[in-house]
Every structure is written in C-alpha cells, then in structure tokens.
C-alpha cells in the first residue's frame, strides 16, 4: 500500500470518529431537551430520555479521545437499539406505559434524532473499518469543533 493510501485511510478513520461524536452529542441534546415533554406524559419516559441523553453525550466525548473498538461498538449498539425502539414505537406503539399499543406520531424532532443516530452508526462502521493506532495532527482541534 502506498504512503498516500495509508495516510488517506488514517484520516478517514479519525474523521469518521469525529462525525460519530458530533452526531452523538447532537442527538444527546435533542433527548435532554425533549425529556420534560415526555416526563409530563410519563415520568419513566422522561427519565429514559435524560439517561439516554447523558449516555450519548458522554460517549461522544469519550470517542473523541479513544478509538477502542469496544467503545465504538457499544455506542453503535446503544444507538441502534434506540433507533429500533423509536421505529417500533412509531409503528406499533410502546408495549407498556400510559399509551401502550398506540403508535406515536412521527415528528421533525424525532426524525432528526433518528437521522443523527443513523449517521452515528454508519460513522462507527467506517471508523472500525479504517482504524488507526495514533491520532492525526489536528485531532484536538477537530474534537473541539465536533463538540
């Protein structure tokens, strides 16, 4: 493999991590902001939104620093589960809670959060395919920009 191809693969892996981090932090903001609305309907739902938002924010900050495959995979798995739960609730409704079995409406905010989670999953896949051992020059600047 030529030197330029190696350098290109290295940049791709880091850029994908930064994209995943930014998507995670943005989705976290949406979940935390929407928590009071959901808590008004059902307190457990509000607590879930806060917990999910905090986890997404922490993961987004952690992935800016570390590229461990386990960390990346865990973030992708949690967000895939969240995305699946969102889709399930829009098609069938939640199986428990005050509105059990009633499909929820698809809104713009939910679509944006779902799209961010989809971007995160794709970016993690790219980061895992093009992993590198050491950060590239400018990694701190890119990380700060992502946050």
């Amino acid at each position: 493999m030529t030197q330029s191809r190696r350098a290109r693969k290295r940049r791709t892996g880091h850029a994908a991590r930064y994209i995943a981090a930014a998507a995670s932090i943005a989705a976290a903001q949406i979940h935390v902001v929407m928590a009071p609305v959901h808590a008004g309907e059902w307190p457990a739902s509000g607590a879930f939104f806060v917990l999910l938002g905090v986890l997404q924010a922490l993961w987004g900050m952690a992935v800016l620093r570390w590229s461990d495959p386990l960390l990346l995979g865990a973030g992708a798995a949690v967000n895939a589960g969240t995305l699946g739960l969102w889709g399930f609730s829009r098609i069938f409704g939640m199986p428990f809670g005050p509105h059990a079995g009633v499909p929820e409406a698809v809104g713009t905010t939910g679509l944006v959060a779902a799209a961010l989670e989809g971007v995160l999953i794709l970016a993690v896949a790219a980061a895992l395919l093009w992993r590198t051992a050491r950060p590239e020059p400018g990694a701190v600047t890119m990380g700060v920009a992502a946050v």
Side-chain angles (χ1 to χ4, degrees), residues 49-139:
F49 270 67
V50 169
L51 178 64
L52 179 60
V54 168
L55 285 174
Q56 286 175 321
L58 290 174
W59 183 87
M61 289 185 285
V63 83
L64 289 173
R65 175 66 178 100
W66 298 288
S67 63
D68 183 66
L70 188 59
L71 176 66
L72 291 169
V78 167
N79 282 279
T82 303
L83 193 55
L85 182 63
W86 179 82
F88 186 88
S89 71
R90 295 323 183 259
I91 296 169
F92 304 108
M94 294 301 290
F96 46 81
H99 304 291
V102 177
E104 296 181 32
V106 176
T108 305
T109 307
L111 281 173
V112 170
L116 287 166
E117 290 162 354
V119 166
L120 181 149
I121 293 164
L122 293 174
V124 165
L128 289 171
L129 286 173
W130 292 290
R131 280 192 57 228
T132 60
R134 56 195 148 111
E136 67 182 0

Side-chain angles (χ1 to χ4, degrees), residues 35-46:
V37 173
H38 287 276
E41 296 175 5
W42 189 36
S45 178

